[in-house]
Amino acid sequence: MAELFIDEESTIAAAKRDLNYKGRSPNKHLLVRLALQLAGLDCHGWAIFENRIFTFYDMERESAFRSIVDVGSIEDLTTEDISQHELVEYQNLFKCLMKDTLRDQLQSLNVNWNKQQNQFYFLPDEKDSEQRREEWVGKKLSRRRVFEKKYQTKDPTKVAFFKHLAFDISFIDIDSRWYATVTPSWYYTWNLYKRNRFHDDLLSKQKRLEHNNSVRDQVRFIGYFLANSRNDNDLISFGELVEFQCLSNISLEENDELEEVLEEEDVSAN
């Protein structure tokens, strides 16, 4: 953590000159992003709160961060200092840090982040690839298709859309241990990045074809991919999948409103 120290006027002027920035007065987040890019660092794993910047990256070693902060204010914090803070703003900041740092990590694995859909999705290994398959171990070693180029039926020489396996991740704290919940989906694009105009129809059609076991296998694959696609410098790491059972004990004696509704249904049935 450190106090931000950025010359806004000179940063905007340099961004217009070197980064083709065409805006006027950027918000604080964009200003920091521009300043980091000018210093040679294009990353997302940082967050701002009360004119301070938080990151899992080592500010003492990373010159780009040192160039935008008061170096004397750099302070090492434990994860508990933020994640267990009494203010919910800091707890939410910690979750954002984890997700945005993961975004940086997954880029090297050709897994992109889409802000509009609020999800990660698999890109092809090569831009002109017809498909991408990833090895994983479920009950046995197999390969799963995570990207496919789909062609038009009327004109097989033309691309209709690109189909990407996608997923969202949410981080939750259970008894001071952090877990990631995985929600699989699909993303349909027309140029590998922008949403296809028929996206919603294509997604609905795909969902109708899937059943519970299909979704379960997707979760298992994504969990395997995250746990086994590691680099030595990764700041976020994943363990094996765990399963929680949610038990609900509803006492009719303690829920008068529900009991009244049930009694009314009984009367109607008679």
Side-chain angles (χ1 to χ4, degrees):
M1 177 195 74
E3 293 285 339
L4 285 170
F5 188 74
I6 302 175
D7 186 325
E8 181 173 347
E9 185 175 343
S10 63
T11 298
I12 294 175
K16 289 181 177 181
R17 181 187 66 243
D18 301 334
L19 302 177
N20 199 31
Y21 175 66
K22 299 185 182 300
R24 293 185 178 180
S25 181
N27 58 36
K28 182 62 67 67
H29 188 277
L30 180 55
L31 179 65
V32 171
R33 182 160 174 75
L34 291 173
L36 286 174
Q37 288 179 334
L38 288 167
L41 181 63
D42 189 8
C43 73
H44 303 88
W46 49 270
I48 302 169
F49 185 61
E50 296 181 340
N51 202 48
R52 288 178 291 179
I53 186 168
F54 298 78
T55 183
F56 294 142
Y57 299 119
D58 190 342
M59 289 192 191
E60 293 284 3
R61 295 185 178 183
E62 181 53 68
S63 60
F65 280 111
R66 290 172 62 86
S67 71
I68 67 168
V69 302
D70 176 359
V71 177
S73 71
I74 295 177
E75 180 182 354
D76 289 336
L77 301 176
T78 66
T79 55
E80 290 77 13
D81 289 334
I82 308 176
S83 63
Q84 304 301 320
H85 199 282
E86 61 182 6
L87 294 179
V88 69
E89 289 86 353
Y90 281 95
Q91 299 170 23
N92 291 335
L93 181 147
F94 186 75
K95 295 177 184 178
C96 289
L97 271 181
M98 286 195 289
K99 197 163 191 175
D100 288 340
T101 303
L102 178 63
R103 178 180 175 184
D104 290 338
Q105 290 180 194
L106 291 181
Q107 279 186 333
S108 64
L109 301 173
N110 288 322
V111 177
N112 200 31
W113 167 257
N114 181 272
K115 184 177 181 180
Q116 181 184 13
Q117 298 295 121
N118 194 35
Q119 63 186 8
F120 295 98
Y121 68 98
F122 286 85
L123 287 169
D125 287 324
E126 301 292 338
K127 186 175 181 180
D128 296 328
S129 297
E130 296 291 317
Q131 60 180 346
R132 173 181 174 184
R133 292 177 179 269
E134 289 287 335
E135 282 191 356
W136 76 294
V137 179
K139 294 182 179 179
K140 60 181 181 179
L141 178 65
S142 59
R143 291 170 60 85
R144 176 173 289 269
R145 184 186 294 115
V146 297
F147 164 80
E148 186 176 9
K149 183 189 295 185
K150 298 292 237 180
Y151 290 91
Q152 296 180 11
T153 303
K154 294 182 178 179
D155 187 351
T157 65
K158 294 183 179 180
V159 176
F161 56 86
F162 300 100
K163 180 181 179 182
H164 313 255
L165 178 63
F167 59 95
D168 181 30
I169 282 185
S170 299
F171 292 97
I172 57 174
D173 179 7
I174 301 177
D175 293 334
S176 298
R177 295 191 65 181
W178 284 93
Y179 297 85
T181 61
V182 176
T183 306
S185 186
W186 296 92
Y187 184 43
Y188 297 88
T189 66
W190 62 270
N191 68 347
L192 300 180
Y193 301 99
K194 298 296 185 180
R195 212 170 88 130
N196 186 282
R197 59 176 176 155
F198 300 113
H199 174 277
D200 291 345
D201 293 335
L202 292 167
L203 182 60
S204 295
K205 181 179 180 180
Q206 177 66 33
K207 293 292 187 181
R208 288 195 296 269
L209 295 174
E210 295 178 344
H211 46 77
N212 290 340
N213 287 338
S214 301
V215 176
R216 184 182 180 87
D217 278 347
Q218 290 170 7
V219 172
R220 292 171 61 224
F221 163 74
I222 294 167
Y224 179 90
F225 178 84
L226 293 173
N228 291 276
S229 303
R230 298 177 180 174
N231 296 314
D232 293 338
N233 58 347
D234 282 352
L235 297 172
I236 304 291
S237 61
F238 296 85
E240 299 300 319
L241 279 175
V242 294
E243 183 175 341
F244 292 96
Q245 290 187 344
C246 298
L247 302 178
S248 177
N249 295 319
I250 301 177
S251 172
L252 292 181
E253 291 79 7
E254 297 175 358
N255 194 327
D256 295 336
E257 182 178 353
L258 178 58
E259 187 175 22
E260 290 176 2
V261 170
L262 292 177
E263 289 177 349
E264 289 176 359
E265 291 182 348
D266 287 341
V267 171
S268 299
N270 292 331

